Amino acid sequence: MELSIKHSNISPSLTLAISAKAKKMQEDGINVISFSVGEPDFNTPENIRNKAIDVIKNNNIGYTAVSGIPALKEAICNKLKVDNDLIYNPKEIIVSNGAKHSLYNIFQAICNPEDEVIISTPYWVSYPELVKMAGAKPILIDCSEDNDFKYNIDDLRKNITNKTKAIILTSPSNPTGSVYTLEELKEIAELAVENNIIVVSDEIYEKLIYDNQNHISIASLNEKIKELTIVVNGLSKCCAMTGWRIGYTASNERIATIMSNLQSHATSNPNTIAQYAAIEALEGDQSEIEYMRNEFDKRRIKMVELINAIPNISCNTPKGAFYVMVNISKLIGKKLGTYNIKDSMDFANYLLENSYVAVVPGVAFGNDNYIRLSYATSQENIIEGLNRIKQTLSNI
């Protein structure tokens, strides 16, 4: 029996695989320090948790409208207006089961066989697979560390064909922490409008931004690019609500209708309790969110300082999110003790087995010369973990 050819070629998430291996070692009593996790290590703010408890006790928590309850859509529209200078109406908002589900809906809604979707490398691990699941082809553009892992406009232009349906734009970025400037966004917007290409703007880390940088949504530049942009956002990263599974999109109504129809058959509505809690997350007290951002900022500075003090590895200073891409190219082909480092997976496994430190190999993000570290962990773990890595690399 031949099963789905299209879906048989989908690769599993290496980020989840490394996390699972680290957790198994921890369960076996090994003191593993994990830099692999992609979620805040803070609890969901108390006011959001209390809202959920209140809803459970006092509200009807049955099915809702497929694309989200009206009050949440209104709260999202207000957030987009205040934070991003974007005007949308509730019909243009689709609330889904997390931002990953939103992205799945997007590519299913816009892609046809043979369509091409441009993705910058290093990329978030699921982008190419989500595109392939929609029957389209991911087109990868290698973005250099010298350009802070962002698109070079000339390279972007060279990769546009008559099959190009969309460009994925991630700012702030997972895995690199890079943030696009206004001038860079203007260049990309002009190119997209000129070629009638959709921009999928992943803005899930917009609240986690540092060094007095400002988050700018490409959709806010003018009406032409807004019509072509699908804004993707959610509450998992900025509000420490990873398990609540609330993501959303803002797009033109034609695209939103297709996504709503698709979701009506795939999952129906997102979790009802989480939707009500999401209103509180958007409209309630924001002080805990700002506290988290400040703590991440301190950890970012410490992690970058310690990494760049270790011989043979280095990193840029990320401007957003909570990740650092570490350049390990000097170690590829070297020996650590009796261990041959042929690629980033070898290096990640070596660190986990010998230093009890979990990192994510760069091959998961399309670049084998790097590993990704997350600073969504305590200062103590950052110091201890990087000291272990430094000690391990003294064996080179």
Side-chain angles (χ1 to χ4, degrees):
M1 180 186 292
E2 185 173 62
L3 302 179
S4 168
I5 295 172
K6 179 174 72 173
H7 292 111
S8 294
N9 292 325
I10 302 302
S11 302
S13 170
L14 285 175
T15 57
L16 298 180
I18 291 291
S19 293
K21 186 173 180 179
K23 286 178 181 177
K24 176 63 170 62
M25 292 173 68
Q26 288 170 329
E27 289 169 2
D28 292 339
I30 299 171
N31 177 21
V32 174
I33 291 178
S34 180
F35 293 140
S36 65
V37 289
E39 62 179 332
D41 59 322
F42 298 95
N43 202 352
T44 304
E46 186 176 12
N47 61 311
I48 300 172
R49 288 181 280 134
N50 286 341
K51 179 64 177 180
I53 293 168
D54 179 67
V55 169
I56 291 169
K57 288 180 177 179
N58 300 308
N59 286 58
N60 178 356
I61 51 174
Y63 294 135
T64 75
V66 165
S67 58
I69 57 178
L72 176 54
K73 288 187 167 194
E74 291 285 357
I76 291 168
C77 287
N78 186 61
K79 178 261 174 233
L80 291 168
K81 180 180 179 181
V82 173
D83 290 352
N84 308 111
D85 196 26
L86 288 169
I87 305 299
Y88 286 97
N89 68 65
K91 290 182 180 179
E92 298 171 314
I93 306 299
I94 304 296
V95 184
S96 301
N97 299 280
K100 184 182 287 191
H101 184 206
S102 295
L103 288 161
Y104 175 83
N105 283 346
I106 287 169
F107 298 118
Q108 295 294 323
I110 69 173
C111 290
N112 293 304
E114 307 304 321
D115 280 350
E116 296 175 349
V117 177
I118 294 175
I119 306 171
S120 60
T121 302
Y123 49 70
W124 178 55
V125 62
S126 292
Y127 287 148
E129 307 308 315
L130 288 167
V131 170
K132 288 190 285 185
M133 288 166 73
K137 181 180 179 181
I139 303 298
L140 306 180
I141 297 181
D142 186 35
C143 296
S144 73
E145 187 174 2
D146 291 340
N147 196 40
D148 205 21
F149 304 107
K150 294 184 284 189
Y151 287 119
N152 174 287
I153 197 66
D154 292 331
D155 289 341
L156 198 52
R157 185 176 286 108
K158 289 174 187 174
N159 280 274
I160 290 175
T161 72
N162 60 2
K163 295 180 180 180
T164 304
K165 177 59 66 72
I167 298 167
I168 299 179
L169 179 69
T170 315
S171 181
S173 166
N174 172 9
T176 67
S178 58
V179 174
Y180 281 84
T181 66
L182 176 60
E183 291 306 313
E184 290 166 338
L185 292 174
K186 284 180 177 178
E187 287 184 327
I188 294 170
E190 183 178 343
L191 192 63
V193 170
E194 176 187 334
N195 292 277
N196 196 37
I197 296 169
I198 293 170
V199 175
V200 179
S201 183
D202 188 343
E203 304 178 18
I204 190 72
Y205 290 95
E206 69 160 320
K207 297 289 187 181
L208 300 177
I209 200 163
Y210 319 107
D211 294 339
N212 296 316
Q213 297 275 312
N214 292 316
H215 171 73
I216 302 167
S217 176
I218 194 170
S220 69
L221 298 184
N222 57 63
E223 281 301 313
K224 289 182 179 179
I225 189 61
K226 178 175 179 274
E227 180 67 16
L228 286 170
T229 299
I230 307 173
V231 175
V232 184
N233 212 322
L235 303 174
S236 60
K237 312 301 182 180
C238 67
C239 298
M241 293 178 68
T242 47
W244 299 70
R245 310 313 297 137
I246 294 292
Y248 60 86
T249 58
S251 66
N252 69 52
E253 192 172 338
R254 183 183 174 202
I255 294 173
T257 298
I258 297 173
M259 289 194 288
S260 180
N261 292 342
L262 174 67
Q263 187 163 296
S264 73
H265 294 291
T267 63
S268 295
N269 67 275
N271 181 282
T272 301
I273 301 161
Q275 287 190 69
Y276 283 104
I279 298 172
E280 176 63 26
L282 291 169
E283 298 182 342
D285 179 36
Q286 304 291 301
S287 59
E288 286 194 54
I289 295 170
E290 180 59 15
Y291 171 79
M292 284 191 289
R293 191 194 69 82
N294 286 327
E295 288 301 304
F296 282 134
D297 192 11
K298 294 173 189 174
R299 297 170 183 184
R300 173 185 72 111
I301 293 167
K302 176 56 69 174
M303 179 170 274
V304 169
E305 173 194 329
L306 293 176
I307 289 169
N308 285 322
I310 300 174
N312 295 307
I313 65 174
S314 62
C315 68
N316 286 356
T317 301
K319 298 293 191 294
F322 42 67
Y323 307 104
V324 178
M325 283 297 277
V326 180
N327 190 324
I328 61 164
S329 59
K330 292 180 180 178
L331 297 175
I332 304 298
K334 302 289 185 181
K335 273 193 172 184
L336 290 174
T338 59
Y339 204 97
N340 290 311
I341 306 300
K342 298 184 295 296
D343 51 36
S344 61
M345 180 63 82
D346 278 344
F347 187 61
N349 278 319
Y350 181 84
L351 290 181
L352 188 55
E353 294 168 8
N354 293 273
S355 302
Y356 306 137
V357 175
V359 303
V360 184
V363 66
F365 312 109
N367 196 317
D368 223 4
N369 287 321
Y370 293 84
I371 56 173
R372 190 197 73 178
L373 275 63
S374 167
Y375 48 91
T377 188
S378 68
Q379 285 265 18
E380 292 76 15
N381 280 345
I382 289 170
I383 293 168
E384 172 61 21
L386 287 167
N387 280 341
R388 292 184 189 181
I389 292 175
K390 184 176 184 178
Q391 181 61 40
T392 294
L393 294 188
S394 68
N395 296 325
I396 191 167

